[in-house]
Amino acid sequence: MLDFTSDTAADTPSAVTDVAAHDAAQVDDRALLDAYSNALIDVTDRVGPAVVRVETGPKVRNARERGGLGSGIVISPDGLVLTNSHVVGSSKEIRLRDTEGFVTDAHVLGVDPDTDLALLRADGARDLAYASFGNSKTLRRGQLVVAIGNPLGFESTVTAGVVSALGRSIRSVSGRTIEDVIQTDAALNPGNSGGPLVSSNGQVIGINTAIINGAQGICFAVASNTAQFVLSEIIRHGYVRRAYIGVAGQTAPVPRRHAVLAGVENKMGALLMQIEPDSPAARASLLPGDVVIRLDGVEINGVDDLIRALDHSRIDRTLSMDVLRLGRLRAIEIHPVGRKPAKQ
């Protein structure tokens, strides 16, 4: 008697189920890829028109004259453009080129080398496409982000990646440390500087500022909350007025047991990493490892909060500061001083 079992195995219920599951998985994969692609396309369509190419230096150059090239993001319809201060440099001649090829001159409203940011005004340009800021404090590691700019002179280039880390510190062009920086693996190259890092909902959550030479996939952006603070200061005063206490730090979580022991509600705080000698912080006996959770009655939930709290209104005043040291709450008095605007 002939046995047809092996020939008809593919028609058994279990085999049919496996095939159906495989087909369903392929459909699900395609749906996910389509959703990912559509998200990137939507972000590009919404924010791309607001990204401009920033050119510096004379229009007609000779062998001795070299201009710069970077990116910028339009943040208001009347022509306010945010970019990097190192893109602008000390140049007196600046031009902006939009995605449609329109070119306009621009002038500098203010620079802040301490955060590597500069604010420009486009001359004679109105009703421009512009982008909105998001809240960088809500970012999470692994979140999808999109970088738009002009890497190596290739205009309107889009790259995608994720937030690799938060609360990084990098050295600014002025030599000071930029705190609360976003690390991403979205591909950036020279020319991306000053362009936006955008969330999947189309909001600017960072300004691309640096890559590590020789590294692959390690790129940085100044957080949007820091950029908004700098923007408001430049618009109001022409430069960023700051109180100085002489610390370097990063945003860090407050362990729940420490918060309960100290009787505070903070989930995050500003962890101090370095104390400059003979600074207000050193004179107040602050130590590396202290976590600032309150300054002058203002709750501190990260480095960006501490930066904002140290504004001009707190210069030459004796302030109360609450810190967690080894899990215990300590009240410290500190006297911030003013410092001159950073020079390029």
Side-chain angles (χ1 to χ4, degrees):
M1 180 170 53
L2 297 177
D3 184 3
F4 293 99
T5 302
S6 59
D7 294 332
T8 59
D11 296 327
T12 62
S14 60
V16 172
T17 302
D18 289 343
V19 171
H22 179 264
D23 291 343
Q26 285 187 321
V27 171
D28 288 344
D29 288 345
R30 285 195 294 268
L32 288 173
L33 289 174
D34 286 343
Y36 177 76
S37 296
N38 289 333
L40 297 184
I41 292 169
D42 180 62
V43 169
T44 303
D45 288 345
R46 292 167 61 183
V47 182
V51 179
V52 294
R53 174 184 176 127
V54 181
E55 300 176 356
T56 63
K59 295 180 182 179
V60 179
R61 301 168 186 166
N62 56 42
R64 293 184 177 181
E65 295 174 320
R66 298 181 62 186
L69 176 65
S71 305
I73 180 69
V74 181
I75 55 174
S76 72
D78 59 348
L80 288 180
V81 177
L82 199 60
T83 185
N84 286 155
S85 66
H86 81 260
V87 169
V88 175
S90 58
S91 179
K92 303 301 182 183
E93 296 186 42
I94 302 171
R95 293 169 301 284
L96 307 177
R97 182 189 299 270
D98 66 14
T99 55
E100 296 180 352
F102 176 75
V103 179
T104 181
D105 291 336
H107 63 277
V108 178
L109 294 180
V111 297
D112 185 43
D114 286 359
T115 55
D116 195 21
L117 294 173
L119 183 64
L120 310 178
R121 168 79 74 181
D123 299 335
R126 295 294 182 271
D127 297 325
L128 298 177
Y130 67 97
S132 301
F133 284 111
N135 182 3
S136 57
K137 188 175 290 184
T138 63
L139 291 175
R140 295 292 182 269
R141 286 183 298 172
Q143 183 172 333
L144 174 68
V145 289
V146 179
I148 308 175
N150 304 293
L152 304 174
F154 294 102
E155 296 182 11
S156 305
T157 297
V158 178
T159 57
V162 299
V163 173
S164 304
L166 297 165
R168 296 298 198 204
S169 299
I170 62 174
R171 191 69 61 184
S172 70
V173 292
S174 70
R176 297 181 181 274
T177 302
I178 308 175
E179 309 291 353
D180 206 31
V181 171
I182 302 165
Q183 180 182 327
T184 176
D185 67 349
L188 302 178
N189 287 284
N192 270 113
S193 292
L197 189 68
V198 188
S199 65
S200 58
N201 61 7
Q203 293 184 318
V204 176
I205 45 82
I207 302 296
N208 300 321
T209 186
I211 58 175
I212 296 179
N213 292 329
Q216 296 189 16
I218 302 180
C219 310
F220 299 100
V222 177
S224 60
N225 287 10
T226 299
Q228 290 182 81
F229 165 72
V230 171
L231 171 66
S232 65
E233 284 288 295
I234 290 177
I235 289 176
R236 293 176 60 188
H237 310 293
Y239 67 95
V240 180
R241 298 187 295 171
R242 292 187 178 93
Y244 164 80
I245 61 174
V247 301
Q250 66 182 41
T251 300
V254 175
R256 180 60 184 164
R257 64 183 184 280
H258 290 175
V260 171
L261 181 64
V264 299
E265 298 296 327
N266 296 61
K267 295 182 179 179
M268 307 290 287
L271 173 64
L272 304 185
M273 307 298 292
Q274 296 179 354
I275 309 295
E276 295 185 15
D278 197 31
S279 65
R283 291 191 287 273
S285 300
L286 287 171
L287 300 174
D290 288 346
V291 179
V292 181
I293 59 171
R294 189 173 295 274
L295 176 67
D296 196 27
V298 177
E299 189 171 287
I300 304 298
N301 289 295
V303 170
D304 56 341
D305 286 347
L306 183 58
I307 291 172
R308 281 191 189 80
L310 291 170
D311 60 16
H312 70 281
S313 68
R314 293 183 169 87
I315 296 174
D316 291 329
R317 290 175 47 202
T318 299
L319 310 177
S320 62
M321 175 184 282
D322 292 339
V323 303
L324 289 175
R325 180 177 296 171
L326 300 177
R328 296 185 178 277
L329 185 65
R330 290 177 177 266
I332 291 174
E333 289 191 345
I334 190 167
H335 192 87
V337 298
R339 62 180 176 87
K340 297 180 180 180
K343 296 181 179 180
Q344 291 177 278

